[in-house]
Amino acid sequence: MPISKCLQKSGPLWKEWDRKAQKNGLRHQVYAVNGDHYVGEWKDNKKHGKGTQVWKKTGAIYEGDWKFGKRDGYGTLSLPDQETGKYRRVYSGWWKGDKKSGYGIQFFGPKEYYEGDWCGNQRSGWGRMYYSNGDIYEGQWCNDKPDGEGMLRLKKRNRYEGSWKRGMKNGSGRFFHLDHGQLFEGFWVDDVAKCGTMIDFGRDVAPEPTQFPIPEVKILDPDGVLEEALAMFKKIKEGD
């Protein structure tokens, strides 16, 4: 007795083509519609693993780790230099969700760069900034600005150690005028010293010492006077 067989219904051809077009594993150069191209690993049709992306509009190149279509892990971002025609490194470090997060080094120019912690593309945490004029800031950062405890060393060796807020000296701090052999210790508001005391400090070895030493202060309780002045100043500020 003959046996009849039911033919299996085949799906649309586009589904099979789409399945074959899904990118997984290592792929050679893949171009986007806008001209960007990528070479590297894929997973579920997204950049995942090690890979290199080139953006046509800016010429930027990213080489490093990817996770589900975003820069995630360790990687380096470079840009073409208009003067030399070569690529210059802009950032090397850690990424998360397509943003600089974790430890990394950002180059702002030939002699200006930052090394330290990042969060969401902003300097945040502990880091050191080398400025093009020779100044160096080392300390805490928040929202891409010095914020917290930190030290600014100026090119002429003078330095400030103390509190910062919104990128400016705010709070208690000490400024070492090593070129003149003096030390100022007091309270700052938006980069302006409001009250404090000045004493001689290393005047004997200073390259440009003051003509006369600072006379000895004859106050019985200088710390108490400073504390009272600070309290009065804070009270005035709160009243504003």
Side-chain angles (χ1 to χ4, degrees):
M1 187 174 180
I3 299 175
S4 62
K5 296 183 178 179
C6 296
L7 297 176
Q8 292 183 349
K9 188 177 181 180
S10 60
L13 288 177
W14 69 265
K15 287 190 175 182
E16 179 64 17
W17 294 337
D18 183 66
R19 185 187 65 79
K20 292 181 179 180
Q22 295 297 307
K23 293 182 278 294
N24 280 287
L26 180 64
R27 288 293 180 103
H28 293 293
Q29 202 151 259
V30 176
Y31 281 86
V33 177
N34 61 3
D36 298 346
H37 58 273
Y38 171 83
V39 177
E41 297 175 303
W42 297 76
K43 183 177 182 180
D44 296 333
N45 215 34
K46 293 181 179 179
K47 301 160 195 166
H48 191 88
K50 301 287 185 182
T52 301
Q53 168 85 21
V54 180
W55 287 269
K56 181 180 179 181
K57 186 176 180 179
T58 61
I61 296 179
Y62 171 80
E63 300 174 280
D65 298 325
W66 296 79
K67 190 173 182 180
F68 299 115
K70 295 183 179 181
R71 290 169 289 186
D72 202 299
Y74 190 87
T76 299
L77 179 67
S78 303
L79 286 172
D81 192 310
Q82 300 298 330
E83 296 181 359
T84 63
K86 299 179 180 179
Y87 274 87
R88 60 179 179 86
R89 187 173 48 166
V90 176
Y91 175 81
S92 288
W94 293 91
W95 302 73
K96 188 173 180 63
D98 223 29
K99 295 182 179 181
K100 290 171 278 190
S101 294
Y103 180 83
I105 302 176
Q106 171 86 37
F107 295 89
F108 299 94
K111 297 181 180 180
E112 186 164 300
Y113 64 97
Y114 169 85
E115 55 180 5
D117 297 326
W118 294 80
C119 183
N121 272 343
Q122 292 188 326
R123 290 166 286 187
S124 185
W126 189 267
R128 185 185 294 112
M129 180 73 196
Y130 295 85
Y131 297 94
S132 58
N133 63 358
D135 296 348
I136 301 174
Y137 171 82
E138 182 176 1
Q140 294 174 308
W141 294 75
C142 184
N143 296 327
D144 221 33
K145 294 181 180 180
D147 199 297
E149 294 297 316
M151 177 178 65
L152 176 65
R153 288 180 286 176
L154 304 179
K155 184 179 181 180
K156 293 184 178 181
R157 295 178 59 242
N158 295 339
R159 71 179 186 271
Y160 168 82
E161 298 177 358
S163 299
W164 296 77
K165 193 72 176 177
R166 306 181 308 279
M168 295 181 286
K169 305 178 194 73
N170 275 284
S172 300
R174 299 187 298 172
F175 197 101
F176 294 82
H177 298 271
L178 299 180
D179 52 348
H180 300 314
Q182 293 179 331
L183 166 63
F184 175 84
E185 185 171 5
F187 193 83
W188 303 71
V189 176
D190 293 346
D191 269 346
V192 178
K194 293 298 182 178
C195 59
T197 57
M198 181 80 81
I199 62 172
D200 285 328
F201 183 86
R203 188 172 179 276
D204 296 338
V205 295
E208 301 175 10
T210 56
Q211 185 177 0
F212 302 104
I214 297 175
E216 185 180 353
V217 179
K218 298 296 183 179
I219 299 176
L220 182 62
D221 185 16
D223 292 335
V225 173
L226 177 59
E227 185 176 345
E228 184 179 347
L230 289 173
M232 185 179 298
F233 176 76
K234 290 180 181 179
K235 187 176 181 180
I236 294 173
K237 287 293 290 183
E238 291 174 357
D240 294 343

